[in-house]
């Protein structure tokens, strides 16, 4: 131990101080004014805003259909990932589907041109029949644009 000006300096103090300096130098830098994550609003498909979201969704589908099959954002690649990988029938459905929906919405935001896009919801308790708007244009799986 070294006594300098009344301070006791030990090997432990030196090593812990060096470790703290090294740790802070390798940690990722956090901006002083970190921006909160954006929030998106889901609208009832029966509302005017919900209808607009369906329009943006169709725009994105059209663009995604034009992507090469090798692109993971290609419409068929996204649809097959849902069809083949979604764990319907077990407890993993909800966390898996939440992640998949968030990922798919990011793709739709990019290709729809609307940065605030969120999939609209359908309140089946208020309207037991699937709304006709959910089958218009490219939302209809029988549309000629699909293979």
């Amino acid at each position: 131990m070294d006594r300098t000006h009344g301070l006791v300096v030990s090997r432990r103090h030196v090593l812990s101080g060096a470790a703290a300096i090294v740790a802070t130098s390798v940690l990722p830098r956090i901006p002083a004014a970190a921006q909160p994550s954006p929030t998106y609003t889901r609208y009832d498909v029966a509302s005017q805003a919900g209808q607009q979201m369906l329009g943006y969704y169709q725009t994105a589908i059209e663009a995604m259909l034009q992507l090469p099959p090798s692109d993971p954002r290609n419409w068929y690649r996204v649809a097959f990932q849902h069809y083949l990988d979604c764990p319907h029938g077990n407890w993993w459905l909800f966390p898996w589907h939440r992640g998949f929906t968030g990922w798919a919405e990011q793709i739709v935001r990019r290709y729809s041109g609307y940065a605030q896009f969120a999939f609209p919801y359908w309140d089946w308790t208020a309207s037991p029949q699937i709304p006709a708007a959910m089958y218009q244009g490219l939302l209809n799986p029988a549309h000629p644009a699909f293979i």
Side-chain angles (χ1 to χ4, degrees):
M1 272 194 262
D2 182 20
R3 292 188 185 264
T4 309
H5 302 289
L7 295 174
V8 177
V9 180
S10 69
R11 178 186 289 171
R12 182 178 299 160
H13 289 113
V14 172
L15 290 176
S16 65
I21 291 170
V22 169
T24 57
S25 68
V26 297
L27 290 175
R29 302 280 182 225
I30 299 172
Q35 297 295 320
S37 297
T39 56
Y40 303 98
T41 303
R42 296 197 188 286
Y43 298 99
D44 188 328
V45 73
S47 70
Q48 183 178 1
Q51 297 292 308
Q52 289 175 328
M53 293 297 155
L54 289 179
Y56 292 125
Y57 188 33
Q58 287 189 63
T59 299
I61 292 171
E62 186 173 17
M64 292 164 69
L65 284 167
Q66 302 305 311
L67 295 172
S70 59
D71 192 314
R73 298 160 303 179
N74 172 283
W75 174 253
Y76 297 107
R77 298 275 305 262
V78 173
F80 284 139
Q81 181 175 2
H82 179 250
Y83 179 73
L84 296 173
D85 296 337
C86 187
H88 291 110
N90 68 49
W91 70 270
W92 188 236
L93 169 71
F94 297 112
W96 186 94
H97 220 272
R98 184 179 181 120
F100 177 82
T101 300
W103 174 72
E105 279 181 330
Q106 287 178 6
I107 296 169
V108 172
R109 279 184 205 111
R110 176 175 180 178
Y111 288 100
S112 70
Y114 185 61
Q116 296 302 312
F117 176 83
F119 286 119
Y121 67 89
W122 160 44
D123 182 1
W124 62 271
T125 62
S127 176
Q129 300 297 322
I130 299 174
M134 294 179 78
Y135 283 103
Q136 292 176 350
L138 284 173
L139 300 178
N140 182 343
H143 191 281
F146 298 109
I147 296 174

